[in-house]
Amino acid sequence: MKIILLGAPGAGKGTQAVRIQEKFQLKHISTGDMFRANIKEGTEIGKLAKSYIDAGKLVPDDVTCEIVKQSLEKVNGGYLLDGFPRTLFQAEELDKFAEIDLCLNIDVDTSLLLDRICGRRVCACGASYHVSTLGGKTTCEKCGKPLYQRDDDNPETVKARLATYEKQTAPLVDYYGKQGKLVTVKCGTETPDEVFEKVCAVLENFNK
Ligand code: ADP
Ligand code: ZN
């Protein structure tokens, strides 16, 4: 299975991706994670990406398409694209170097997103939590490492990211709808496990 995870910042793409990759044995490819790894290592791509990420803007298409293309060349088997494509240009490029089976759109009420992202605490292992459920804990339940807040998870940047999503990424819903590849999972205040049940129902049905 070759799947795209689509959804606004804070919709829970990363949270679901961790679960999906385990259960369905798909390689998780997250452009956000790749950019953050580059920033940490201080590479040229990292330096460039940081200036856009901090402003809540998208990293330029050419750079983004290139890192995805390169990482797909190393994958044989199914994968899960998390955070790519994010523009129509990226979607059209992707069609040139990959054949996607399904675009899973995680659709969350916009009013919930700001609080979700600003309250998010993440771990280097990929786990992600909300402060309201941590009860003051500062380490990861899964691996014990310290939790931290992403630099771009502050109210100002989040507002810019949400606007960027509406303008540049939301049109992809139509793009994949027209290709007959779109499945939307609508969720509001469900827990991540409840959302995952819905996601599994879609993917198991598709796998048959
Ligand atoms: P979120 O979905 O919560 O916004 P991500 O980790 O997917 O978080 O992305 C973080 C940032 O990385 C984005 O705001 C953007 O600046 C950059 N980024 C990630 N994926 C892409 C992409 N496909 N195209 C351009 N920029 C991207
Ligand atoms: Zn962890």
Side-chain angles (χ1 to χ4, degrees), residues 9-10 13 31-32 35-36 53 57-59 64 83-84 86 90 120 150 152 161:
K13 295 186 297 292
T31 40
F35 289 136
R36 283 185 288 277
I53 292 175
K57 293 184 181 155
L58 296 181
V59 179
T64 307
F84 184 91
R86 255 177 153 99
Q90 291 177 12
R120 171 158 72 184
R150 267 168 48 179
D152 59 343
R161 283 158 64 199

Side-chain angles (χ1 to χ4, degrees), residues 122-127 129 139-147:
V122 295
C123 174
C125 79
Y129 304 86
T139 52
C140 177
E141 212 167 78
K142 283 193 163 175
C143 75
K145 285 192 208 120
L147 298 177

Side-chain angles (χ1 to χ4, degrees), residues 76-132:
N76 40 47
Y79 52 79
L80 181 64
L81 285 173
D82 165 6
F84 184 91
R86 255 177 153 99
T87 63
L88 280 172
F89 181 87
Q90 291 177 12
E92 283 163 3
E93 283 303 298
L94 179 64
D95 280 340
K96 294 179 192 163
F97 59 78
E99 200 161 331
I100 295 302
D101 298 307
L102 187 78
C103 174
L104 189 66
N105 177 31
I106 306 187
D107 185 5
V108 176
D109 200 73
T110 316
S111 64
L112 299 171
L113 297 173
L114 190 67
D115 168 69
R116 275 208 196 178
I117 312 177
C118 294
R120 171 158 72 184
R121 298 295 179 271
V122 295
C123 174
C125 79
S128 160
Y129 304 86
H130 192 274
V131 273
S132 63

Side-chain angles (χ1 to χ4, degrees), residues 172-188:
L172 295 183
V173 172
D174 259 5
Y175 182 86
Y176 289 106
K178 282 187 186 136
Q179 290 193 359
K181 292 183 176 168
L182 186 81
V183 180
T184 296
V185 172
K186 230 185 162 353
C187 37

